[in-house]
Amino acid sequence: MPDSTLLAPQMTPILDRVVSVYFSDPSQRLIIPKGGLLLNQDMENDRLYYVRSGSFTCTIRDEDDIGDELQIELFRAEKGSFVGVYSFFSGNPRSFIRATALEDAELSWIDRNIKAVDSEQYGTFRAQFLPVVLEELSKRQISLSHMARQQEVAQHRLHIAEKMSTLGELSAGLAHELNNAVGVMDRSSDHLRQVLSRLFKETAPALSSWFEEGVSTGQNFASDVVRKRAKELMARFSGLEYDKAKALARILGDREIDALPKKLDEAIFLWETGRACHDMRIAADHAANLVRSIKQLGGGGRERQNISVTDSVREALALLNSNLREVPVELDLDDSLPDIWGNKMELVQIWVNIIKNGWDAMKNARTADPRIRVAVGKHRRAIQVDLANTGPPINPVLLQKLFQPHITTKRGEMGLGLGLYIVKEIVDRYNGELHVASDEKETCFSVRLPLLQQKDDCL
Amino acid sequence: MEKLYIVCVDDQREVLASVVRDLNMFADWAVMEECESADEAEELMEDLAASDRPVALIVCDHIMPGMNGVDFLATLAADQRFPHLKKILLTGQATQKDTIEAVNKARIDYYLEKPWSAKELEDVVRLQLSHYLFDSGRFSMEYRALVTPSVLMERMQGRE
């Protein structure tokens, strides 16, 4: 509805005078019950009405796609508005709208027989009513643009909802199929591993431990380390070829050996076969994890209720318990904060993603003094959660695109780069804000979730 | 016969190992080098150039932390020291825009999507090595079993 502050304040005394002078005759009052008709479109009207209480919806006739008649709302006349302005002043005595009472309403009216009061001081009747007409028209215009804006917002939300539900359905279906496929590969490769293990124990008992080691550890050493170590091995064992030396370096890393295995080729072959089994299992795990993140993107229940943000943070910390054992977590939680209207799992997802990212960053950078800080507090009409870590500063270029999909810094982890994108997506759904500040001291993600009322619930 | 060099770049160790395993059939003719980032590959290329090794082919992942594959291949395309180097982009994320950029910017010789098949990778690598041998003037009959027959025919007949 139009905001009264948008109207020129100096108009009020003029309007008050007009209302008290012209619309105070008790014999010219009218009660319209809820649903009752005050004006109909094209009906002759010679009255100007002032709404004392209640409200009207003012509509015009239109046809829908199949030719049925429907009423389109043009504006609403609330308490303090005038109805019949057009037919009263324009010279065309037919009402161009239908006015229907939305609730029991009381009106005062004047008709064309009215005479100007105090015309020496205030001018002709038309001059006295000009501000009334102007204000009424400007009110209607504001209300119209407000309605258009609301409609735009509604349309936008509908669009997002459609997109998300399609993505949700798609991802749920896709996840199911992918999980099946990954499951088959995982189980089958495990079966092959057992068969090979048995086979090698029988045919090459002296070397089968090389296979088992390949299975259990895979390649633990980076390619540059392997290249360096291979050269050392070649220097130490004359006659060792470069490709064999590299293969051995992959297995040994920095471990020393006194002598080369007698059957070096076979040993390498067995280890590499074992390593292939190891890699299949790793890949299957990664695939399963990715499917899980995709599912989070689109789906899950979105039902909301009043929940405590602090509780959701505790839940996230509990979920991350095993990851966080190695790092001190500094907590500043507040249980007296008001609830927000939200979905606990969505909030937990935000905290888990951000905290886990921070922990991974500190691990990868081998941060000397890894610490995590989580604080929950109130900031104006929002709950603010700060999640900080002492990891390396995020470079400004990356900071710019941190929340875009497929941005990852996690070397070799087959990450989808969706973690922070999911966070952004959820925070947006709450009309929340997301800030990152990163310097040498700490990297801090701040999430603000507005204290929405249930009826303000957005999609 | 001097062995050629094939440099494989992928930040995912398991993927890197699979690529190299699939290329092992070329071990008689080429040395496979693995790198887990473009930076590491850049350093390795420096070493190989300094010791005058014939770097014939690079098989590079697209999306990697640090410099991405397309940018890295673009720097190699502009590097005067490797005029005949063949470049294959191996990618799991192929939009049309990525492809166009890779071809235009990095002047790649082949675009291979993940997951790849061993046969396709083999054929592509064989073809690119064949072209490298003729382009660089290194071809000798010792490489005969390596070279793709149709390329051998064309080049022997002096046709492109």
Side-chain angles (χ1 to χ4, degrees):
Chain A
M1 283 305 104
D3 187 335
S4 57
T5 58
L6 290 171
L7 299 175
Q10 67 271 28
M11 299 272 287
T12 316
I14 304 175
L15 288 180
D16 286 350
R17 178 189 164 267
V18 166
V19 171
S20 68
V21 170
Y22 292 99
F23 293 92
S24 48
D25 184 347
S27 69
Q28 300 192 113
R29 288 210 179 175
L30 188 63
I31 305 276
I32 304 273
K34 179 177 176 181
L37 213 58
L38 175 66
L39 291 172
N40 206 350
Q41 197 169 341
D42 296 331
M43 175 180 121
E44 286 228 12
N45 172 47
D46 62 353
R47 286 180 178 177
L48 180 66
Y49 294 99
Y50 172 72
V51 183
R52 307 192 75 88
S53 68
S55 64
F56 289 86
T57 170
C58 301
T59 57
I60 57 167
R61 213 173 24 240
D62 200 358
E63 285 182 359
D64 67 8
D65 308 348
I66 50 170
D68 281 349
E69 188 186 311
L70 69 155
Q71 293 287 330
I72 309 281
E73 181 172 86
L74 270 194
F75 60 92
R76 282 192 185 189
E78 309 278 337
K79 179 182 173 191
S81 309
F82 295 88
V83 181
V85 175
Y86 176 78
S87 37
F88 191 84
F89 288 105
S90 73
N92 174 1
R94 290 180 191 282
S95 174
F96 83 112
I97 46 117
R98 168 193 287 194
T100 315
L102 287 168
E103 54 203 301
D104 295 348
E106 188 185 9
L107 304 122
S108 290
W109 55 268
I110 53 173
D111 60 20
R112 289 188 209 285
N113 301 321
I114 195 90
K115 296 281 178 290
V117 178
D118 293 337
S119 54
E120 303 79 20
Q121 190 183 345
Y122 294 103
T124 63
F125 177 79
R126 284 195 170 248
Q128 291 185 29
F129 267 77
L130 189 62
V132 173
V133 175
L134 279 180
E135 173 169 335
E136 186 56 36
L137 291 182
S138 85
K139 252 193 207 168
R140 289 179 191 181
Q141 191 167 8
I142 289 166
S143 137
L144 204 60
S145 71
H146 187 76
M147 268 159 56
R149 219 166 40 235
Q150 274 183 330
Q151 199 150 24
E152 213 171 283
V153 171
Q155 200 96 40
H156 182 63
R157 285 179 183 170
L158 189 66
H159 179 66
I160 294 175
E162 275 174 357
K163 218 165 65 180
M164 290 317 293
S165 80
T166 316
L167 183 59
E169 282 165 28
L170 268 179
S171 59
L174 197 65
H176 176 76
E177 294 297 324
L178 277 176
N179 275 337
N180 277 346
V182 170
V184 171
M185 287 199 287
D186 188 38
R187 296 325 308 145
S188 304
S189 63
D190 193 50
H191 173 70
L192 281 178
R193 179 188 59 75
Q194 292 174 22
V195 170
L196 288 173
S197 173
R198 227 168 29 232
L199 198 69
F200 291 143
K201 279 204 181 87
E202 283 166 19
T203 57
L207 292 172
S208 69
S209 66
W210 290 77
F211 172 76
E212 301 300 340
E213 198 187 319
V215 169
S216 63
T217 59
Q219 182 185 332
N220 267 332
F221 306 97
S223 48
D224 52 344
V225 174
V226 168
R227 214 167 8 254
K228 196 163 141 265
R229 182 80 177 113
K231 284 172 187 155
E232 289 169 16
L233 287 169
M234 282 167 80
R236 173 124 183 256
F237 301 104
S238 59
L240 186 62
E241 290 166 32
Y242 184 44
D243 57 338
K244 295 278 183 293
K246 270 210 298 190
L248 197 56
R250 263 178 230 127
I251 302 170
L252 294 174
D254 42 16
R255 269 183 297 163
E256 288 298 337
I257 47 164
D258 298 328
L260 294 178
K262 271 197 205 92
K263 295 180 172 173
L264 181 61
D265 288 2
E266 279 95 330
I268 290 171
F269 171 75
L270 288 186
W271 184 86
E272 284 179 349
T273 309
R275 182 248 172 102
C277 295
H278 171 270
D279 288 358
M280 282 194 279
R281 200 185 58 233
I282 297 287
D285 284 354
H286 283 153
N289 279 334
L290 293 190
V291 170
R292 216 165 297 135
S293 349
I294 296 261
K295 254 167 135 176
Q296 287 185 354
L297 243 191
R302 293 264 175 78
E303 300 77 31
R304 291 192 179 185
Q305 53 190 352
N306 283 318
I307 50 162
S308 150
V309 174
T310 306
D311 277 357
S312 73
V313 169
R314 282 215 180 83
E315 210 152 297
L317 291 168
L319 275 175
L320 287 167
N321 197 18
S322 62
N323 298 66
L324 294 180
R325 223 167 271 155
E326 306 155 64
V327 58
V329 180
E330 185 189 311
L331 291 180
D332 178 10
L333 304 181
D334 182 347
D335 282 303
S336 66
L337 295 170
D339 285 353
I340 74 160
W341 182 248
N343 177 297
K344 193 179 261 181
M345 269 333 287
E346 289 183 331
L347 298 195
V348 170
Q349 247 177 54
I350 302 178
W351 319 136
V352 166
N353 269 312
I354 295 179
I355 296 172
K356 178 131 191 337
N357 255 346
W359 173 223
D360 288 342
M362 292 192 289
K363 240 183 353 190
N364 286 346
R366 299 200 171 83
T367 300
D369 175 26
R371 270 176 297 126
I372 286 175
R373 182 174 65 80
V374 180
V376 184
K378 202 167 163 227
H379 182 273
R380 298 206 186 106
R381 293 278 304 150
I383 302 289
Q384 174 162 337
V385 181
D386 291 333
L387 307 134
N389 66 72
T390 52
I394 303 172
N395 87 51
V397 179
L398 183 63
L399 209 53
Q400 297 269 315
K401 32 181 202 177
L402 206 54
F403 299 106
Q404 291 172 11
H406 306 301
I407 296 298
T408 181
T409 56
K410 291 182 198 163
R411 244 187 113 102
E413 274 190 44
M414 240 195 303
L416 200 52
L418 285 180
L420 289 180
Y421 175 65
I422 292 173
V423 166
K424 174 88 173 75
E425 204 266 324
I426 298 174
V427 172
D428 281 350
R429 256 186 263 153
Y430 284 77
N431 283 337
E433 289 173 50
L434 186 53
H435 298 288
V436 196
S438 186
D439 57 27
E440 291 297 333
K441 213 174 109 251
E442 65 169 23
T443 295
C444 181
F445 286 75
S446 299
V447 177
R448 276 183 205 156
L449 300 171
L451 289 161
L452 288 178
Q453 298 302 307
Q454 181 170 347
K455 67 180 171 59
D456 298 332
D457 186 14
C458 56
L459 294 161
Chain B
M1 180 195 68
E2 191 178 4
K3 278 197 180 182
L4 307 175
Y5 277 76
I6 302 177
V7 177
C8 305
V9 192
D10 200 306
D11 64 308
Q12 174 80 47
R13 198 170 286 162
E14 292 80 24
V15 175
L16 195 56
S18 306
V19 175
V20 171
R21 188 162 48 223
D22 284 345
L23 294 182
N24 241 337
M25 65 183 58
F26 298 110
D28 287 346
W29 300 283
V31 178
M32 257 65 72
E33 289 285 9
E34 301 128 281
C35 296
E36 291 173 10
S37 71
D39 291 338
E40 187 188 333
E42 214 163 27
E43 208 171 293
L44 176 70
M45 295 295 282
E46 287 298 322
D47 291 350
L48 293 175
S51 51
D52 215 15
R53 305 285 184 191
V55 188
L57 177 68
I58 184 151
V59 181
C60 188
D61 183 21
H62 186 181
I63 307 292
M64 295 183 285
M67 199 192 297
N68 74 41
V70 171
D71 290 343
F72 175 52
L73 292 181
T75 66
L76 288 181
D79 194 325
Q80 300 296 320
R81 292 171 301 174
F82 312 108
H84 307 298
L85 174 70
K86 302 300 171 197
K87 301 175 287 294
I88 297 174
L89 191 68
L90 182 61
T91 174
Q93 187 181 321
T95 65
Q96 199 181 11
K97 188 169 153 281
D98 294 335
T99 321
I100 292 169
E101 195 191 45
V103 172
N104 288 347
K105 197 168 148 194
R107 281 178 271 144
I108 59 158
D109 298 282
Y110 204 89
Y111 196 94
L112 200 57
E113 273 181 42
K114 289 178 186 172
W116 67 94
S117 80
K119 180 79 175 77
E120 189 185 8
L121 184 65
E122 181 200 332
D123 290 348
V124 170
V125 167
R126 189 183 292 280
L127 185 73
Q128 296 306 329
L129 289 178
S130 306
H131 283 304
Y132 170 80
L133 284 169
F134 285 105
D135 290 349
S136 64
R138 286 180 184 272
F139 178 76
S140 72
M141 288 315 272
E142 289 166 309
Y143 293 107
R144 211 186 136 172
L146 165 67
V147 170
T148 309
S150 61
V151 175
L152 187 64
M153 289 297 290
E154 279 171 24
R155 298 288 188 136
M156 286 303 196
Q157 291 170 0
R159 289 192 270 126
E160 258 307 320

